Amino acid sequence: MKIERLPLNALRAFAEAARTESFKSAASRLNVTPGAVSRQIKQLEARLGIDLFTRHANGVHLNPAGRQLAKDIDSGLERIVAGVMAARERAHQAPLLTLSAPPSFMQLWLLPRLATFDATLGGLDISLDANQSLTTPAWQGAGARLAIRYGRGPWPEAQSHRLFDDELFPVCAPSLLAQHGRPLEPADLADHTLLDVAWESLQGISFPGWQAWLDAAGVGDRVVTPQRRYSLFSLALDQAIAGRGIMLANHPIAMDRLESGVLVRPFGERHVLASPLNYDLLTPPRGEAPPAVARFIDWLLDEAAAFDRDTHASGQAPAHFTAY
């Protein structure tokens, strides 16, 4: 088949839908409606004379023919992207690293530290993509496309490098804590607004939010579950800093604000909820990192290890509880 006759739009819609086995997710990535994605894939199936998905009431799943086509398309797209990126890099003095990461993690932990990399190592043009969607890592000439993900591996088509394990604890503004004039107890949260983050795992993993924390603290029947929910940790964090409530946070999201004093932990080192999630750096499963990218990877892993050491350097480890 000649390239000008290839149904490129339909192939792109299929490739996006195949990655997550979701027409809705593909539509979001392509900025079209799920119905448009469905129609394009039906047209592709009609043109090929085979079904690519098994459809059922709860969604769709790739069938064997669809899995093979998705693999072939991804392989072709990787070669195209590598060629485009290589051409782009030839016009730049430095290789390009595209790094995808969850928005709040990027804003609150990564961005404040990138200046250190630029000042001490550099040698890379870094393009940041604030996105939680699954991204397939790839070496691209002298650069790369990498991802940082919050969730739980194993991650498909990637080698993962642990940055941080996860644990959650309440944080609030000092002014809110000062209203009590005594140490706070879990039951006191009944008198406060609880700020929640409606984080949705692309892997279908349950996020341990306030209800899990309240149950583990033994006050799940005495404290009303949160009525204020936000789509990003950074939005809830801004409200907590403003004294408008108490949120559950983790070290990467909250530590810099705790050190600056704009946030405090109302229970100190007590009542820490262990989480099944973690932050991982994802790199391609095969091949070697180009030299400039390898320097960035080593720097990021060292920075994460130093942060983890500093986080837990203050004497005794806190007592944890968990609902898992």
Side-chain angles (χ1 to χ4, degrees):
M1 182 181 294
K2 295 182 178 180
I3 191 168
E4 61 268 20
R5 295 184 178 180
L6 285 174
L8 296 179
N9 288 336
L11 287 170
R12 186 183 179 201
F14 168 74
E16 290 292 345
R19 289 191 180 97
T20 57
E21 294 187 299
S22 168
F23 290 177
K24 182 178 179 181
S25 176
S28 176
R29 295 275 291 178
L30 296 171
N31 293 318
V32 299
T33 66
V37 171
S38 178
R39 286 191 296 274
Q40 288 178 330
I41 291 174
K42 285 181 179 177
Q43 290 169 4
L44 178 62
E45 289 174 324
R47 186 159 187 170
L48 297 176
I50 56 172
D51 289 337
L52 300 171
F53 287 94
T54 300
R55 294 163 172 83
H56 51 82
N58 296 322
V60 296
H61 289 298
L62 283 170
N63 62 24
R67 278 194 295 272
Q68 183 59 53
L69 180 59
K71 182 178 178 181
D72 292 339
I73 289 174
D74 280 343
S75 176
L77 289 175
E78 289 295 336
R79 289 195 294 272
I80 292 171
V81 169
V84 171
M85 297 305 294
R88 181 177 177 181
E89 285 166 14
R90 285 192 289 271
H92 288 72
Q93 293 184 342
L96 176 66
L97 168 64
T98 301
L99 181 63
S100 172
S104 295
F105 178 84
M106 181 178 289
Q107 175 190 347
L108 299 170
W109 190 89
L110 182 61
L111 277 176
R113 290 164 172 79
L114 274 181
T116 302
F117 173 79
D118 289 335
T120 58
L121 295 172
L124 274 177
D125 285 343
I126 299 178
S127 174
L128 298 177
D129 176 20
N131 202 317
Q132 178 62 24
S133 299
L134 295 176
T135 301
T136 303
W139 308 127
Q140 298 175 329
R145 182 179 69 239
L146 306 180
I148 295 172
R149 286 293 166 261
Y150 180 55
R152 183 170 60 193
W155 302 94
E157 299 183 44
Q159 180 179 356
S160 63
H161 309 263
R162 182 62 44 83
L163 296 177
F164 314 108
D165 292 323
D166 198 35
E167 56 187 20
L168 300 167
F169 45 84
V171 296
C172 66
S175 58
L176 189 150
L177 185 60
Q179 296 174 10
H180 281 265
R182 60 173 175 79
L184 217 61
E185 295 299 330
D188 294 324
L189 295 185
D191 301 323
H192 293 278
T193 300
L194 302 185
L195 310 174
D196 203 17
V197 178
W199 183 82
E200 295 184 5
S201 168
L202 295 174
Q203 303 165 298
I205 301 170
S206 176
F207 177 68
W210 269 116
Q211 190 60 60
W213 189 95
L214 294 169
D215 290 343
V219 294
D221 58 342
R222 287 182 280 167
V223 179
V224 177
T225 53
Q227 297 301 312
R228 295 191 182 178
R229 292 179 171 83
Y230 304 88
S231 60
L232 296 174
F233 284 98
S234 56
L235 297 177
L237 200 71
D238 286 343
Q239 295 301 299
I241 291 172
R244 298 191 180 102
I246 301 175
M247 74 170 287
L248 278 181
N250 59 21
H251 289 104
I253 295 298
M255 186 53 66
D256 289 353
R257 275 69 186 169
L258 292 169
E259 290 182 350
S260 70
V262 297
L263 286 175
V264 296
R265 294 173 64 169
F267 303 105
E269 299 295 319
R270 299 176 296 140
H271 302 305
V272 177
L273 181 67
S275 166
L277 309 180
N278 45 62
Y279 290 92
D280 289 331
L281 170 67
L282 306 186
T283 62
R286 293 168 295 278
E288 293 187 6
V293 177
R295 289 196 301 272
F296 176 85
I297 293 171
D298 290 342
W299 169 83
L300 182 62
L301 295 177
D302 288 345
E303 194 75 16
F307 178 83
D308 205 39
R309 286 194 302 271
D310 292 344
T311 296
H312 298 95
S314 56
Q316 252 182 322
H320 290 71
F321 51 55
T322 178
Y324 293 83

